[in-house]
Amino acid sequence: INAEYMGGIPSSLRINSDRMPSVKVGINGFGRIGRMVFQAICDQGLLGNGIDVVGVVDITTDADYFSYQMRYDSVHGKFKHTVTTEKSDPSLAEADIIVVNGHKIQCIPATRSPADLPWAKYGAEYVIESTGLFTELEKAQGHIAAGAKKVIISAPGKGGVKTVVMGVNHEEYDPATHNVVSNASCTTNCLAPLVHVLLTEGIGVEKGLMTTIHAYTATQKTVDGPSKKDWRGGRAAACNIIPSTTGAAKAVGEVLPVTKGKLTGMAFRVPTPDVSVVDLTFLAAKDTSIQEIDAALKKASETYLKGQLGVATEELVSTDFVHDDRSSIYDSLATLQNNLPGEKRFFKIVSWYDNEWGYSNRVVDLVKYMISK
């Protein structure tokens, strides 16, 4: 282990929910990631057992529609839990309470400012901010003004928000000062563990370029449409490979400061609904071999990054990683087959990630970790 690299080996991240105080949680934005985070809470057995989700916020408060969206998913299949709905007031036209495994969750109408949300009324201490709208520190702090104690942004944060990647720098979280934290992006959660291993094992990164071949997301268009700020991004998602920008590589510098200014990258949005893959090409800080790098990544996946970093040794494709709850699944075969023979400094690493499910599980793991502190 490289003693000069101060990232350290993280302690076990599998936090026992039996030792965790029950905390009331709200979810602002019940879209793609908001629903996936809720499902991850349920699948991890945390609903009513450490985490009480008291409310979900969206433009609509139609609980029957939310129930439908949760029970059927085009990518992830059917919801594994019992869902019913009811009305908080018999006079209401629509049900506004989701009942999952007997636990009631209030559907709350969205507000222009998080400060206007009724978190104090429902006792929400932690808020998962998943609208994509309130990623700046000042805006996210509106949840605290509304009665919450902590805010977890499910996107890259801005304006001084502390960025936390589980397994990499989570031990830097300070409950006394970090009231608003960011879980970074799905791509940063895939890339950062790879770089963390390179640093921890003393291989180092002199400089690197990352490309993510990324599934399309809800911000894209089904057919060509208006997109003034990003002309290419306005083209039809299902029939184009679309070059795009990503801050994921630069964001690794926030999580691992020794890499600041050494990494950058880009994205290609491709016509698949889920699962993405990172291609990291880098110059090592010292002489090594792709075999040594391969061994280091495999060792980390079984020790200090167990649960975050996985390894694939078969000839797999993107759909084989749908609903994989790990942050980054290193493709050993693709990596070993596609490097220059005898090279000592210049390497390529390939790693997969379910950009929806893996990421959503890390949001939940971050909430659990924060509660445990």
Side-chain angles (χ1 to χ4, degrees):
I1 303 293
N2 179 16
E4 292 179 6
Y5 170 54
M6 302 305 290
I9 296 176
S11 57
S12 172
L13 300 175
R14 292 295 161 193
I15 297 146
N16 188 343
S17 62
D18 294 335
R19 298 198 305 267
M20 214 165 65
S22 189
V23 169
K24 291 182 177 179
V25 172
I27 300 175
N28 189 40
F30 209 50
R32 197 84 197 114
I33 297 301
R35 290 196 305 277
M36 286 291 111
V37 168
F38 180 77
Q39 184 175 331
I41 290 169
C42 296
D43 285 6
Q44 288 191 30
L46 295 167
L47 188 65
N49 182 32
I51 293 179
D52 292 328
V53 180
V54 293
V56 295
V57 179
D58 214 289
I59 294 167
T60 178
T61 57
D62 184 348
D64 289 320
Y65 181 50
F66 285 158
S67 166
Y68 167 75
Q69 287 183 297
M70 288 161 57
R71 287 182 292 119
Y72 302 103
D73 191 281
S74 301
V75 171
H76 299 280
K78 292 182 180 178
F79 194 57
K80 303 178 185 73
H81 309 273
T82 305
V83 188
T84 57
T85 62
E86 60 183 58
K87 296 178 181 180
S88 61
D89 183 333
S91 66
L92 291 172
E94 298 173 336
D96 65 338
I97 293 174
I98 313 166
V99 186
V100 179
N101 296 343
H103 299 279
K104 295 182 180 182
I105 300 114
Q106 181 68 47
C107 301
I108 301 167
T111 58
R112 286 187 177 273
S113 167
D116 298 326
L117 289 167
W119 296 134
K121 176 183 175 182
Y122 293 102
E125 299 167 70
Y126 283 65
V127 170
I128 296 161
E129 170 48 58
S130 54
T131 63
L133 299 173
F134 307 111
T135 57
E136 293 175 7
L137 179 61
E138 191 177 336
K139 291 179 179 177
Q141 282 174 331
H143 291 295
I144 293 169
K149 293 177 181 175
K150 302 285 181 181
V151 182
I152 298 90
I153 301 171
S154 68
K158 300 172 186 173
V161 174
K162 176 66 179 175
T163 301
V164 178
V165 173
M166 295 303 292
V168 178
N169 75 327
H170 64 283
E171 291 179 338
E172 293 176 4
Y173 167 68
D174 179 4
T177 58
H178 298 144
N179 295 326
V180 178
V181 300
S182 161
N183 194 58
S185 71
C186 52
T187 304
T188 300
N189 271 267
C190 178
L191 178 61
L194 305 176
V195 178
H196 182 50
V197 173
L198 296 174
L199 297 174
T200 302
E201 302 301 331
I203 294 162
V205 176
E206 196 70 39
K207 52 189 170 183
L209 296 171
M210 179 219 71
T211 302
T212 174
I213 297 91
H214 201 293
Y216 55 67
T217 63
T219 58
Q220 290 177 254
K221 311 286 184 184
T222 352
V223 295
D224 287 5
S227 180
K228 183 67 174 171
K229 289 183 180 178
D230 176 15
W231 291 11
R232 292 201 239 213
R235 303 297 295 277
C239 62
N240 284 299
I241 296 173
I242 303 175
S244 183
T245 58
T246 175
K250 288 181 181 176
V252 172
E254 295 176 28
V255 179
L256 298 167
V258 294
T259 67
K260 210 172 187 92
K262 295 181 179 181
L263 295 169
T264 190
M266 68 175 296
F268 286 99
R269 293 296 182 99
V270 295
T272 54
D274 187 35
V275 179
S276 305
V277 60
V278 153
D279 171 336
L280 172 63
T281 302
F282 70 100
L283 198 63
K286 70 162 198 175
D287 286 1
T288 183
S289 68
I290 197 61
Q291 288 76 21
E292 284 183 18
I293 292 168
D294 178 74
L297 289 162
K298 286 174 176 173
K299 183 184 85 170
S301 75
E302 295 168 358
T303 54
Y304 57 94
L305 283 176
K306 190 178 179 71
Q308 288 81 43
L309 179 64
V311 176
T313 55
E314 295 182 272
E315 301 199 13
L316 303 181
V317 296
S318 62
T319 53
D320 298 322
F321 300 99
V322 170
H323 217 68
D324 194 308
D325 65 3
R326 294 167 294 184
S327 306
S328 187
I329 306 98
Y330 163 61
D331 193 322
S332 174
L333 202 59
T335 298
L336 290 172
Q337 288 174 343
N338 293 291
N339 273 275
L340 297 167
E343 177 59 49
K344 295 180 179 180
R345 286 287 184 111
F346 186 55
F347 303 104
K348 177 190 293 290
I349 296 174
V350 177
S351 197
W352 300 88
Y353 57 116
D354 183 325
N355 46 280
E356 295 181 338
W357 188 242
Y359 181 79
S360 297
N361 274 272
R362 290 301 82 71
V363 172
V364 176
D365 287 351
L366 177 54
V367 172
K368 285 159 57 179
Y369 183 75
M370 291 170 70
I371 292 170
S372 75
K373 297 296 164 184

